[in-house]
């Protein structure tokens, strides 16, 4: 039993060392593609085999690092006070949730871009996307008169895609606060609008 506990502690220490090393590398490197599993293993002081056993592949490492950074926001959304927490009125919570996603991606531009571009399947099938979509759709469904919450959720989340954030903040040079204001205005207009006359969601 002591050997098993010691082994588990070693695995946890290795995992934390790997995440810290990957975090530092993605922060320093200009392009996410410049960071390899070999780089991370060397920086963490572990073998590549340890890295692959713990995370499976590069995409698994990216997801683990992404989730570790996202944890404070998840806690605020699940149990925190307004404007992110569940007690927030829906019309206030939707813009707050989108703002939290945008700020997170601005703070983690390289990591978010690497995760969204590096998957072998559609980014819309990624666990983190499905989680945000499910949450936002549930909140939208609480707003009277708002129709087609599924499409509306996709459209709102599209404004926070990592490639768009990178384009606007990087190539476009749009300041952070301006981007936040633009997203808030967009969300407010969407929530205030109703269906077009004679147009249904099925068409």
């Amino acid at each position: 039993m002591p050997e098993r506990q010691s082994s588990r502690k070693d695995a946890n220490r290795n995992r934390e060392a790997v995440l810290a090393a990957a975090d530092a590398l993605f922060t320093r490197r200009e392009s996410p593609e410049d960071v390899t599993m070999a780089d991370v293993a060397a920086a963490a002081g572990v073998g590549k085999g340890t890295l692959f056993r713990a995370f499976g592949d590069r995409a698994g490492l990216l997801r683990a690092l992404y989730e570790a950074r996202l944890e404070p926001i998840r806690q605020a959304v699940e149990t925190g006070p307004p404007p992110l927490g569940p007690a927030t009125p829906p019309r206030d919570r939707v813009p707050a949730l989108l703002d939290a996603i945008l700020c997170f991606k601005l703070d983690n531009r390289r990591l978010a871009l690497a995760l969204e571009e590096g998957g072998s399947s559609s980014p819309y099938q990624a666990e983190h996307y499905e989680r945000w979509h499910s949450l936002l759709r549930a909140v939208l469904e609480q707003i009277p008169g708002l129709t087609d919450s599924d499409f509306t959720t996709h459209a709102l989340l599209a404004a926070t895609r990592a490639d768009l954030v990178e384009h606007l903040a990087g190539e476009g040079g749009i300041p952070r606060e301006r981007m936040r204001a633009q997203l808030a205005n967009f969300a407010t207009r969407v929530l205030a609008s109703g269906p077009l006359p004679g147009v249904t969601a099925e068409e």
Side-chain angles (χ1 to χ4, degrees):
M1 184 68 69
E3 291 183 3
R4 184 178 302 175
Q5 291 177 343
S6 177
S7 177
R8 188 179 299 116
K9 288 180 180 178
D10 288 342
N12 289 336
R13 277 196 299 268
N14 285 340
R15 182 181 177 86
E16 292 304 318
V18 167
L19 289 176
D23 200 352
L25 286 170
F26 277 107
T27 299
R28 290 199 304 265
R29 299 287 176 85
E30 186 64 28
S31 170
E33 296 306 316
D34 292 341
V35 181
T36 67
M37 293 289 271
D39 293 333
V40 176
V46 302
K48 286 182 65 176
T50 298
L51 204 60
F52 282 102
R53 282 193 298 273
F55 300 99
D57 54 16
R58 186 173 184 273
L61 174 59
L62 290 175
R63 287 192 296 270
L65 182 56
Y66 191 91
E67 292 298 328
R69 290 186 180 183
L70 191 62
E71 184 60 26
I73 297 177
R74 184 184 301 112
Q75 291 181 3
V77 168
E78 292 178 354
T79 60
L84 292 179
T88 312
R91 288 187 183 275
D92 297 331
R93 197 179 186 200
V94 169
L97 291 169
L98 291 170
D99 184 65
I101 298 172
L102 174 62
C103 288
F104 179 81
K105 291 190 177 181
L106 284 169
D107 291 337
N108 300 275
R109 281 166 55 185
R110 294 182 180 89
L111 175 60
L113 195 61
L115 183 63
E116 292 186 15
E117 288 186 344
S120 58
S121 60
S122 166
Y124 301 104
Q125 296 176 346
E127 181 182 355
H128 63 88
Y129 184 87
E130 292 180 348
R131 193 163 57 234
W132 281 120
H133 183 276
S134 177
L135 172 63
L136 274 171
R137 178 177 180 176
V139 177
L140 287 171
E141 288 174 346
Q142 299 173 30
I143 299 177
L146 191 68
T147 60
D148 201 3
S149 58
D150 183 71
F151 175 80
T152 302
T153 302
H154 283 302
L156 290 172
L157 286 175
T160 69
R161 277 182 55 99
D163 52 358
L164 177 60
V165 171
E166 180 65 24
H167 172 72
L168 295 177
E171 299 174 30
I174 299 178
R176 178 190 186 95
E177 294 307 313
R178 183 180 172 194
M179 289 181 64
R180 294 179 66 190
Q182 289 173 331
L183 180 60
N185 289 336
F186 172 62
T188 299
R189 290 197 302 270
V190 170
L191 296 180
S193 63
L196 295 174
V199 177
T200 66
E202 288 75 21
E203 292 180 331

